[in-house]
Amino acid sequence: MDIEEEIESILYIAREVSVYKIPPLKVNEGHRASEWGDLAQPLWKGRLRFIEKSTGTALQFEDSQTGELFARAEYDPSRPSVDAVLDSSRYFVVRVEDAGRKAYIGMGFAERSDSFDFNVALQDYTKRYKARLNPEPEDEASPHLSVGPKKDYSLKEGQTFSIAIPGRSKISTTGVSLLGSSRSGSFSSGDGIPLLPPPPSVPKKR
């Protein structure tokens, strides 16, 4: 019987992280890495992978050489299993659950750039997760656009329009053609603006 392997996407990988045994969280207080004892003596060191499958995402702590699984923490943005500590940007607390049992472990990165990239990976996945839960409708019309029929404001053949200049008399009684020729009518006296005559034509050579 053939079994198809599920596609696994790696959202983030750290070559080396340290795992610590941490004391219980005090009431109304956050976690502090300075309370974990000697940070140079971790409980475990190895590789961290943040992976995504069709069933969800998880943090996997694995042996750097053999890939043997040390611990696994499911990651659900609706109930995050990762918390930052109060006194450092390189250390986090991870909630690990197995068969109904729950435990908290400390996790530390050697470099701040690694912890920064880890945070970005969590944020990027959280955005995609929320976008899947609340997809934007594709066919909804924009509230700034008119949904009625378009109006045709173009002039039909033979139509003209008149231009009124404040403080001056009308140029033409029937308007000025868009093609530049004047319609019938006379100019009124006063400050009327006469139309300029057309340029002289070039005499034809005989």
Side-chain angles (χ1 to χ4, degrees), residues 9-27:
S9 299
I10 300 177
L11 305 182
Y12 172 79
I13 184 170
R15 300 300 177 185
E16 183 179 290
V17 295
S18 299
V19 171
Y20 302 88
K21 182 179 179 180
I22 62 176
L25 180 63
K26 297 178 182 179
V27 180

Side-chain angles (χ1 to χ4, degrees), residues 1 14 16-17 44-45 51-52 54 58 63 75 93 111 127 132 146 161 180 182 186 205:
M1 180 179 179
E16 183 179 290
V17 295
W44 178 88
K45 272 190 176 185
I51 62 172
E52 179 181 12
S54 60
D63 185 275
Y75 187 79
V93 173
E111 300 293 338
K127 289 179 181 179
R132 286 200 301 265
S146 174
F161 69 92
S182 61
S186 59
K205 295 182 180 179

Side-chain angles (χ1 to χ4, degrees), residues 13 23 30-31 57 77 80 87 99 110 117 124 135 140-141 143 146 174 176 206:
I13 184 170
H31 290 280
T57 56
D87 56 348
D117 293 342
D124 287 347
E140 184 177 350
S146 174
T174 59
V176 179
R206 296 182 179 179

Side-chain angles (χ1 to χ4, degrees), residues 10-19 44-51 58-65 67 90 92 107-119 121:
I10 300 177
L11 305 182
Y12 172 79
I13 184 170
R15 300 300 177 185
E16 183 179 290
V17 295
S18 299
V19 171
W44 178 88
K45 272 190 176 185
R47 178 179 64 194
L48 169 67
R49 290 197 305 153
F50 182 29
I51 62 172
L59 302 175
Q60 292 194 172
F61 298 86
E62 304 166 340
D63 185 275
S64 301
Q65 303 297 327
R90 294 191 294 116
F92 301 83
M107 176 181 67
F109 292 91
E111 300 293 338
R112 297 186 191 279
S113 58
D114 293 335
S115 62
F116 176 82
D117 293 342
F118 174 67
N119 260 323

Side-chain angles (χ1 to χ4, degrees), residues 16-201:
E16 183 179 290
V17 295
S18 299
V19 171
Y20 302 88
K21 182 179 179 180
I22 62 176
L25 180 63
K26 297 178 182 179
V27 180
N28 298 328
E29 291 187 18
H31 290 280
R32 297 179 182 274
S34 58
E35 299 175 352
W36 297 353
D38 187 0
L39 297 178
Q41 300 295 327
L43 175 67
W44 178 88
K45 272 190 176 185
R47 178 179 64 194
L48 169 67
R49 290 197 305 153
F50 182 29
I51 62 172
E52 179 181 12
K53 295 182 178 181
S54 60
T55 54
T57 56
L59 302 175
Q60 292 194 172
F61 298 86
E62 304 166 340
D63 185 275
S64 301
Q65 303 297 327
T66 65
E68 181 181 358
L69 185 65
F70 171 76
R72 176 185 171 90
E74 301 289 339
Y75 187 79
D76 183 354
S78 62
R79 47 187 302 268
S81 56
V82 179
D83 289 319
V85 300
L86 300 177
D87 56 348
S88 176
S89 62
R90 294 191 294 116
Y91 295 90
F92 301 83
V93 173
V94 181
R95 184 182 69 249
V96 180
E97 297 184 35
D98 183 23
R101 295 179 299 175
K102 182 169 55 178
Y104 293 87
I105 59 176
M107 176 181 67
F109 292 91
E111 300 293 338
R112 297 186 191 279
S113 58
D114 293 335
S115 62
F116 176 82
D117 293 342
F118 174 67
N119 260 323
V120 170
L122 293 181
Q123 293 170 8
D124 287 347
Y125 174 73
T126 300
K127 289 179 181 179
R128 290 194 291 109
Y129 175 85
K130 292 180 178 180
R132 286 200 301 265
L133 293 181
N134 302 294
E136 295 183 0
E138 297 180 357
D139 298 330
E140 184 177 350
S142 172
H144 303 291
L145 299 178
S146 174
V147 295
K150 293 183 178 180
K151 295 182 179 181
D152 184 8
Y153 295 101
S154 61
L155 293 178
K156 303 299 185 292
E157 183 178 357
Q159 288 182 331
T160 62
F161 69 92
S162 298
I163 301 176
I165 302 177
R168 296 180 179 178
S169 59
K170 285 189 176 180
I171 296 176
S172 173
T173 58
T174 59
V176 179
S177 171
L178 290 178
L179 299 179
S181 61
S182 61
R183 292 287 183 180
S184 63
S186 59
F187 299 103
S188 60
S189 60
D191 296 331
I193 303 176
L195 294 178
L196 296 177
S201 58

